Amino acid sequence: MLPGSPPFHGQTHSELYRRITSGRMRAFPRSFDEDAADLVNKLLRQSEGERIGVGADGIQRIRRHPFFKGFSWTAVLEQRAPMHKPAVARDPDRGPEDVKKPVTPECLARPCALTAEEQALFAEF
């Protein structure tokens, strides 16, 4: 998801499943950071023995990966790390506040009553 799309794709669910189980990923964009690509490849290895993050020193191997160079894990643990707040454009849909007059569907405007035949359908319900 780092490059903006999932690592696996397929035209059908079964094709997607086959690509995931065989480890056939999309190629990373050329502009993609090498350290990020290396980390993603190591996280998605099929063999647990080769996958980063597995084993007694797994978490430490992830923390020491070059992708996280300059990253302060201590600041995260102490909740001092600066939070990234993305710039988001205001949604032009203002929701119900721009509705001047409520809309009532015709079927709800008139009283509703079941006929005797319709009521009989629900007798044992």
Side-chain angles (χ1 to χ4, degrees), residues 35-81:
D35 290 333
D38 183 63
L39 177 64
V40 170
N41 281 324
K42 288 179 177 177
L43 286 168
L44 296 177
R45 294 258 168 89
Q46 282 187 300
S47 170
E48 285 186 25
E50 296 176 11
R51 192 177 312 140
I52 193 170
V54 176
D57 66 338
I59 292 173
Q60 293 307 317
R61 285 181 57 212
I62 291 174
R63 291 172 85 173
R64 287 190 307 260
H65 191 276
F67 176 75
F68 294 109
K69 184 178 183 178
F71 185 82
S72 174
W73 291 99
T74 305
V76 172
L77 290 171
E78 294 174 356
Q79 298 181 358
R80 293 184 292 109

Side-chain angles (χ1 to χ4, degrees), residues 2 8 43 56 62-63 93 103 110:
L2 278 173
F8 302 100
L43 286 168
I62 291 174
R63 291 172 85 173
D93 180 10
V103 178
R110 54 181 154 65

